Amino acid sequence: MHNKTITELAKGLRAKEYSSVELTQAYLDRIKKYQDLNCYITVAEENALEQAKLADSQLASADSALLTGIPIAQKDIFCTQGIKTSCGSKMLDNFIAPYNATVIEKFNADNAVMLGKLNMDEFAMGSSNETSFYGAVQNPWDTDTVPGGSSGGSASAIAARLTVAATGTDTGGSIRQPASLCGITGLKPTYGRVSRFGMIAFASSLDQGGPMARSAEDAAILMQTMAGFDTKDSTSVDRAVPDYSAGLNNSLEGLKIGLPKEFFSQDLNNDIASAIESAINEYKKLGAEVKEVSLPNMKLAIPAYYVIASAECSANLSRYDGVRFGHRCHSPADLNDLYTRSRGEAFGAEVKRRILMGTYALSAGYYDAYYIKAQKVRCLISEDFSRALSEVDVLMGPVSPSTAFDIGEKTDDPIEMYLADIYTIAINLAGLPAMSLPSGFADSKPVGLQVIGNYFSEDRLLNIAHQYQQVTDWHQQTPKGFE
Ligand code: GLN
């Protein structure tokens, strides 16, 4: 059962080949069997079986949603009423959200089953899932390596078949990079397409939730549920949601692909470059035309991002003060002691580093030199993309400069870690949608192809991804031992 797609499972459920309770139990058993991967922070066993039971009673009705009774899992950044929401941090280790994120409400309305909450880098800061208070996650393709981050639990769980699909969030690459390192499909939607209400904030002008799944076909089904305007999120966009599955089979004849020359510099590992080239050749066979384009300000993306994201996180994380919710230190001497010890005890090193950098960048005297400068760079980067996307339909390139690296390999060198997102971060600064597609292996580890589209072109991106997955089977490969 664990190798079936959502559409196949939905059919099987309706044909009564298995019940949602049986399907859910099978996944819960696998989660237990492979718990060494450390994908889940919370397994919501009781809740999942209850939801499955309810779903079984709904399946008979003709208008039941496609996701009814399908077991999925949520990144532990989405607030879930009555179930711990930790955001990968000791700060929220005791936090039971009093309400559901909009995304969770939407999956509940479809009667999807939530298996549990997935591991992640602390407050989504990281590229390897090693900053989690709950420990590193293993990549099922090679358990000595990282799954990427910050949605590392989501990517690893999907690759190991410990959930059918999952949510992720992407502030600088956190859906696409782990998808790439674990050989699964991930979509980072246009900023504002998916509600951020109840999705714990890291850098509010960049954060965006999206689907992670084995195939584009499954990602389209999740996206259908996740997307849409939300009055509770002032940055969500009031715009009709298209049918994401309707155009999956559209022809790619005449598709114009731009290859940004900055994505293919000497820094790119040869094996990754050749996997990307083969993927682009497949697209040519499907009728696409290819042209070189340029994004001259790409090299400024990482420094601009680390000023903006850190500045925003320093403001967002000021709410964790030991007073209202989250960790509180024992017997504080006074209010200052309460603040400093509560925060000092409960935030990890990376989160502290970002808060310090962000507070510095926002302080009087440095604000213009760092924050305003970074915002100007952000405009230049957006303009680069607008220019390139006026010449072509989509851009393609690698997702990550390397395949999965060893656990511990980059933990002592934050700059090295930050460079893991060199090909993904600029897309968040511009607010564009982009996907990561499994497109081969380098040294037996998965390689992802990145496809970047214009604003609100998620339906076209899914179509482009699905057509590739009709002529290749990279997305169907299973790591050894997890078949
Ligand atoms: N790796 C990047 C960071 O550490 C991006 C994280 C993300 O997208 N949430 O900030």
Side-chain angles (χ1 to χ4, degrees), residues 190-191 239 382-383 385-386 389 427 429-433 453-458:
T190 307
Y191 182 76
R239 182 182 168 114
S382 296
E383 284 165 14
F385 278 106
S386 301
L389 286 166
I427 287 89
L429 290 170
L432 292 165
N454 223 325
Y455 299 104
F456 300 102
S457 66
E458 289 82 3

Short mmCIF file of all heavy atoms in Angstrom, two decimals, residues 190-191 239 382-383 385-386 389 427 429-433 453-458:
data_model
loop_
_atom_site.label_atom_id
_atom_site.label_comp_id
_atom_site.label_asym_id
_atom_site.label_seq_id
_atom_site.Cartn_x
_atom_site.Cartn_y
_atom_site.Cartn_z
N THR A 190 3.97 30.66 -5.08
CA THR A 190 4.11 32.12 -5.08
C THR A 190 3.82 32.64 -3.67
O THR A 190 2.89 32.16 -3.01
CB THR A 190 3.05 32.74 -6.02
OG1 THR A 190 3.14 32.11 -7.30
CG2 THR A 190 3.23 34.25 -6.16
N TYR A 191 4.58 33.64 -3.24
CA TYR A 191 4.32 34.24 -1.92
C TYR A 191 2.87 34.75 -1.89
O TYR A 191 2.45 35.48 -2.78
CB TYR A 191 5.30 35.40 -1.67
CG TYR A 191 5.09 36.03 -0.32
CD1 TYR A 191 5.54 35.40 0.83
CD2 TYR A 191 4.41 37.24 -0.20
CE1 TYR A 191 5.32 35.96 2.08
CE2 TYR A 191 4.20 37.81 1.04
CZ TYR A 191 4.66 37.17 2.18
OH TYR A 191 4.44 37.72 3.41
N ARG A 239 -7.35 35.74 -5.10
CA ARG A 239 -7.26 35.42 -6.52
C ARG A 239 -7.78 34.00 -6.68
O ARG A 239 -7.53 33.15 -5.82
CB ARG A 239 -5.77 35.49 -6.90
CG ARG A 239 -5.45 35.23 -8.32
CD ARG A 239 -3.93 35.30 -8.49
NE ARG A 239 -3.55 34.79 -9.78
CZ ARG A 239 -3.01 35.52 -10.74
NH1 ARG A 239 -2.72 36.78 -10.54
NH2 ARG A 239 -2.72 34.99 -11.90
N SER A 382 14.59 40.86 -7.97
CA SER A 382 13.24 40.68 -8.55
C SER A 382 13.22 41.15 -9.99
O SER A 382 12.62 40.52 -10.86
CB SER A 382 12.20 41.50 -7.78
OG SER A 382 12.10 41.03 -6.49
N GLU A 383 13.89 42.27 -10.24
CA GLU A 383 13.90 42.81 -11.61
C GLU A 383 14.64 41.86 -12.57
O GLU A 383 14.24 41.70 -13.71
CB GLU A 383 14.57 44.20 -11.64
CG GLU A 383 13.65 45.28 -11.10
CD GLU A 383 14.38 46.58 -10.77
OE1 GLU A 383 15.56 46.76 -11.20
OE2 GLU A 383 13.78 47.40 -10.06
N PHE A 385 14.69 38.65 -12.39
CA PHE A 385 13.75 37.56 -12.72
C PHE A 385 12.68 38.05 -13.69
O PHE A 385 12.33 37.34 -14.64
CB PHE A 385 13.12 36.98 -11.46
CG PHE A 385 13.99 35.98 -10.75
CD1 PHE A 385 14.64 36.31 -9.58
CD2 PHE A 385 14.18 34.71 -11.26
CE1 PHE A 385 15.46 35.39 -8.92
CE2 PHE A 385 14.99 33.77 -10.62
CZ PHE A 385 15.63 34.12 -9.45
N SER A 386 12.15 39.26 -13.47
CA SER A 386 11.10 39.78 -14.37
C SER A 386 11.63 39.86 -15.79
O SER A 386 10.95 39.48 -16.74
CB SER A 386 10.65 41.18 -13.97
OG SER A 386 10.17 41.16 -12.68
N LEU A 389 12.08 36.32 -17.17
CA LEU A 389 10.80 35.63 -17.42
C LEU A 389 9.93 36.36 -18.45
O LEU A 389 8.86 35.89 -18.80
CB LEU A 389 10.04 35.43 -16.10
CG LEU A 389 10.64 34.34 -15.19
CD1 LEU A 389 10.08 34.41 -13.78
CD2 LEU A 389 10.40 32.94 -15.77
N ILE A 427 14.87 33.07 -5.33
CA ILE A 427 13.46 32.88 -5.73
C ILE A 427 12.53 33.38 -4.62
O ILE A 427 11.49 33.98 -4.89
CB ILE A 427 13.21 31.39 -6.08
CG1 ILE A 427 13.88 31.05 -7.42
CG2 ILE A 427 11.73 31.07 -6.16
CD1 ILE A 427 15.28 30.59 -7.36
N LEU A 429 13.34 35.73 -2.44
CA LEU A 429 13.45 37.20 -2.39
C LEU A 429 12.51 37.81 -3.42
O LEU A 429 11.93 38.87 -3.22
CB LEU A 429 14.90 37.63 -2.62
CG LEU A 429 15.87 37.31 -1.47
CD1 LEU A 429 17.31 37.55 -1.90
CD2 LEU A 429 15.55 38.13 -0.22
N ALA A 430 12.34 37.13 -4.57
CA ALA A 430 11.47 37.64 -5.63
C ALA A 430 10.01 37.22 -5.41
O ALA A 430 9.12 37.74 -6.07
CB ALA A 430 11.97 37.15 -6.99
N GLY A 431 9.77 36.25 -4.53
CA GLY A 431 8.40 35.79 -4.25
C GLY A 431 7.82 34.86 -5.30
O GLY A 431 6.60 34.64 -5.35
N LEU A 432 8.68 34.29 -6.14
CA LEU A 432 8.21 33.45 -7.26
C LEU A 432 7.94 32.01 -6.84
O LEU A 432 8.46 31.54 -5.82
CB LEU A 432 9.29 33.45 -8.36
CG LEU A 432 9.50 34.77 -9.08
CD1 LEU A 432 10.82 34.74 -9.85
CD2 LEU A 432 8.33 35.06 -10.02
N PRO A 433 7.17 31.27 -7.65
CA PRO A 433 6.98 29.84 -7.39
C PRO A 433 8.09 29.01 -8.04
O PRO A 433 8.62 29.41 -9.10
CB PRO A 433 5.64 29.53 -8.06
CG PRO A 433 5.59 30.48 -9.22
CD PRO A 433 6.34 31.73 -8.79
N GLY A 453 8.94 29.47 -12.16
CA GLY A 453 7.95 30.07 -13.06
C GLY A 453 7.60 31.49 -12.66
O GLY A 453 8.10 32.00 -11.66
N ASN A 454 6.73 32.11 -13.45
CA ASN A 454 6.27 33.45 -13.13
C ASN A 454 5.22 33.38 -12.00
O ASN A 454 4.75 32.31 -11.67
CB ASN A 454 5.70 34.12 -14.38
CG ASN A 454 6.19 35.56 -14.45
OD1 ASN A 454 6.35 36.23 -13.41
ND2 ASN A 454 6.43 36.04 -15.66
N TYR A 455 4.89 34.55 -11.44
CA TYR A 455 3.93 34.58 -10.34
C TYR A 455 2.65 33.82 -10.68
O TYR A 455 2.12 33.95 -11.78
CB TYR A 455 3.59 36.04 -9.98
CG TYR A 455 4.83 36.80 -9.53
CD1 TYR A 455 5.46 37.70 -10.37
CD2 TYR A 455 5.38 36.56 -8.28
CE1 TYR A 455 6.61 38.37 -9.97
CE2 TYR A 455 6.53 37.21 -7.87
CZ TYR A 455 7.15 38.12 -8.72
OH TYR A 455 8.30 38.75 -8.33
N PHE A 456 2.18 33.01 -9.74
CA PHE A 456 0.92 32.27 -9.85
C PHE A 456 0.87 31.30 -11.02
O PHE A 456 -0.19 31.00 -11.54
CB PHE A 456 -0.28 33.25 -9.89
CG PHE A 456 -0.35 34.10 -8.66
CD1 PHE A 456 0.10 35.42 -8.68
CD2 PHE A 456 -0.79 33.57 -7.46
CE1 PHE A 456 0.09 36.19 -7.54
CE2 PHE A 456 -0.81 34.36 -6.30
CZ PHE A 456 -0.37 35.67 -6.34
N SER A 457 2.04 30.80 -11.44
CA SER A 457 2.04 29.82 -12.53
C SER A 457 2.19 28.40 -11.99
O SER A 457 2.69 27.51 -12.69
CB SER A 457 3.17 30.14 -13.52
OG SER A 457 4.43 29.95 -12.87
N GLU A 458 1.74 28.16 -10.76
CA GLU A 458 1.87 26.82 -10.16
C GLU A 458 1.25 25.73 -11.04
O GLU A 458 1.79 24.63 -11.14
CB GLU A 458 1.20 26.76 -8.78
CG GLU A 458 1.92 27.52 -7.68
CD GLU A 458 1.62 29.01 -7.66
OE1 GLU A 458 0.79 29.48 -8.48
OE2 GLU A 458 2.21 29.72 -6.82
#
